[in-house]
Amino acid sequence: YPSDIGGEHDFNRSAGGDEGHVNIGEFVTHNHSLLAIWFATHEEAPPVLLPCCCLQPFNVTLEGLSRRHRIFIFSFVLVSILITTLQVRTYGWYPSWFWIWLNSLVVILPITCHLKSALPNYSEWLQERAPQECFSVLRVEEAALAVALGVSCLVFALVGGVKDTKLVVEDYFAILVAMMFAEFIALVW
């Protein structure tokens, strides 16, 4: 990826900086939404790109987000959509696809846009105020996300039943795996 957001990616340059072509492995591991989190180093992290709905000025770093922050944002989106899906299915909102789409567009997308620009500052601020003995390995925002997921699954299991909640979670992850596999195939193709 380019060192600045406005630059174009030079596909004739290999990851090591030598002249030549990028091989298919490098292309897939650096462009897949999940694989890029693990394989792109901080120096080659994708620049933070904000969708058009986030038109307000953001302080976006040119070098992108750290791997830990990229993992958090990816996890935040996954957990948010899972919670939305549980809510829609538990309370019987129909058509369910519409409510999931609407909540993703109106709530999750703007929050994600904001997190992409402000997460490093929020994370630093939270870590400075958190007891170090409690959050030496797990960061505050990561713990909050895990607690939100746990509490949501517990509430929906109590309201909608354990069996229904389990089925929704299984369906969600089956669809997620299928989407990641389809993205991999599309990149290789």
Side-chain angles (χ1 to χ4, degrees):
Y1 280 91
S3 60
D4 65 289
I5 290 176
E8 294 294 324
H9 184 64
D10 183 4
F11 285 103
N12 292 321
R13 181 180 53 83
S14 70
D18 299 330
E19 292 299 318
H21 291 286
V22 175
N23 67 39
I24 190 71
E26 290 173 336
F27 178 77
V28 170
T29 58
H30 288 75
N31 287 291
H32 190 276
S33 58
L34 180 60
L35 296 176
I37 292 172
W38 303 103
F39 288 98
T41 63
H42 188 67
E43 293 78 32
E44 46 185 20
V48 178
L49 302 174
L50 301 175
C52 60
C53 71
C54 304
L55 295 176
Q56 55 192 358
F58 286 117
N59 181 18
V60 180
T61 60
L62 295 180
E63 65 271 359
L65 297 168
S66 71
R67 179 174 290 141
R68 192 166 193 162
H69 288 146
R70 287 181 280 156
I71 292 169
F72 176 79
I73 289 175
F74 187 80
S75 301
F76 170 80
V77 171
L78 294 180
V79 167
S80 300
I81 293 173
L82 176 60
I83 290 171
T84 300
T85 304
L86 284 168
Q87 182 177 11
V88 167
R89 296 272 179 89
T90 300
Y91 295 110
W93 296 352
Y94 292 103
S96 60
W97 66 267
F98 173 76
W99 291 106
I100 294 169
W101 173 81
L102 184 65
N103 193 33
S104 297
L105 186 67
V106 175
V107 178
I108 298 170
L109 182 63
I111 292 173
T112 303
C113 288
H114 183 71
L115 280 178
K116 282 182 176 182
S117 66
L119 183 59
N121 295 332
Y122 289 159
S123 181
E124 182 181 338
W125 186 85
L126 287 168
Q127 283 305 113
E128 288 173 357
R129 285 151 183 80
Q132 294 303 314
E133 58 277 357
C134 296
F135 296 101
S136 60
V137 175
L138 192 65
R139 300 184 66 85
V140 178
E141 64 271 16
E142 296 163 352
L145 187 62
V147 168
L149 176 61
V151 168
S152 296
C153 285
L154 179 64
V155 166
F156 294 122
L158 292 173
V159 172
V162 174
K163 185 177 178 182
D164 289 341
T165 301
K166 181 179 178 256
L167 289 173
V168 170
V169 171
E170 287 173 352
D171 288 348
Y172 173 79
F173 282 107
I175 292 168
L176 179 65
V177 167
M179 286 175 18
M180 292 295 152
F181 186 68
E183 182 182 2
F184 177 79
I185 291 173
L187 287 172
V188 172
W189 189 266

